[in-house]
C-alpha cells in the first residue's frame, strides 16, 4: 500500500479543487504519518502518496511536494498525484507536460521511483460538448440568453466553482453578439458561460463548448430527469459511440 499524506501545500487553484493544504479532508497530516505507518500491520508500505489539487499552472508546488515527501522517510516509491492544468479559454497558458514532469522529478531524490496520476491533462482538451440551441431570449440593454439542451447535468464545473469556458456556433465561428449560455435546468445558477461572443445564434444552431473532456461526463447527473448524453469518440473522420445516449427507460430502471 501507499499512504496518502497531506503535505501542507496550497497550490494556486480554486479552493474546491485544492487538496494538499493542512485544512483538507484528504490524507494523514505530516505529524500523524509515523503513527499511521506503525499501524500498517500485515501490509507492505511501498511509499507515500499525495495529491495537492487540480488545474494547477504554477509548477513550484510540485517540486516542493517531492522534497516534502522525501523528507518523511526513505521509500522506493513516491506518488505525487495529478493536477496539471489545461487551457479552457484562450487566456489560459498551461505549462507543458515535459516541464510538469521535470518539476516532479526535480524535488524527489534520484534513486526513488516517482509516479504521477494525471487526469484532466490527459483528456480535458480531447473533449468537446455539442449542444443544440433551444431558445434565444434578448433582454434589451441587459443580456442575451442562449438556452441549450444541457447544462449543469452534463457540466457542473461552472456552477460548482465558477469554471470558465468558451463556445462557438459550430458552422459560424467568431461573431459579435455578447451572449450568456444557459442550461435547461430549473435553477437560475444553471449558466454554462456568463459572457461569450457568438455569431448571431438562433434556435436549432449547434453550439460547441471545447475542453469538456475531464470532469464533465464523470460528474454528469440526471437532475430534472434529463437523460445523459452519449460519448462519441471521433478520429480521422470516423465517429463511434462509446457510451450510448441514456433513455427515459434508463431513468426509471431502478424504481421499485
Ligand atoms: C488522488 C487523485 N489523483 C489524481 C487525480 C487527478 O487529478 P487531475 O485531473 O487534476 O490530474 C485526482 C483528482 O481528483 C485525485 O483525487
Amino acid at each position: 500500500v501507499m499512504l496518502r499524506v497531506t503535505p501542507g501545500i496550497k497550490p494556486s487553484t480554486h479552493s474546491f479543487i485544492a487538496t494538499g493544504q493542512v485544512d483538507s479532508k484528504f490524507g494523514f497530516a505530516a505529524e500523524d504519518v509515523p503513527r499511521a505507518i506503525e499501524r500498517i500491520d500485515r501490509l507492505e508500505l511501498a511509499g507515500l502518496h499525495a495529491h495537492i489539487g487540480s488545474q494547477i499552472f504554477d509548477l513550484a508546488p510540485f517540486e516542493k511536494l517531492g522534497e516534502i515527501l522525501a523528507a518523511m522517510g526513505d521509500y522506493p516509491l513516491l506518488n505525487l498525484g495529478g493536477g496539471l492544468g489545461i487551457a479552457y479559454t484562450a487566456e489560459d497558458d498551461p505549462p507543458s507536460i515535459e516541464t510538469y514532469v521535470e518539476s516532479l522529478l526535480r524535488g524527489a531524490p534520484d534513486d526513488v521511483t516517482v509516479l504521477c496520476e494525471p487526469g484532466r491533462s490527459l483528456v480535458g482538451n480531447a473533449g468537446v460538448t455539442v449542444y443544440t440551441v433551444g431558445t434565444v431570449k434578448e433582454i434589451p440593454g441587459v443580456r442575451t440568453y442562449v438556452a441549450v439542451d444541457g447544462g449543469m447535468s452534463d457540466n457542473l464545473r461552472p456552477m460548482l466553482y465558477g469554471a470558465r469556458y468558451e463556445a462557438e456556433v459550430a458552422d459560424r465561428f467568431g461573431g459579435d453578439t455578447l451572449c450568456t449560455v444557459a442550461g435547461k435546468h430549473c435553477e437560475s445558477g444553471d449558466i454554462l458561460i456568463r459572457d461569450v461572443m457568438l455569431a448571431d445564434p438562433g434556435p436549432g444552431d449547434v453550439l460547441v463548448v471545447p475542453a469538456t473532456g475531464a470532469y464533465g461526463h464523470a460528474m454528469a447527473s440526471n437532475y430534472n430527469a434529463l437523460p445523459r448524453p452519449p460519448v462519441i469518440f471521433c478520429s480521422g473522420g470516423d465517429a463511434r459511440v462509446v457510451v450510448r445516449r441514456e433513455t427515459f427507460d434508463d431513468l426509471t430502471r431502478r424504481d421499485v
Side-chain angles (χ1 to χ4, degrees), residues 4 49 51 53-55 81-84 117-121 215:
R4 170 96 179 241
H49 169 233
H51 170 70
S54 200
Q55 187 57 7
L84 178 60
E117 40 190 23
R120 185 191 310 271
S121 53
Y215 304 105

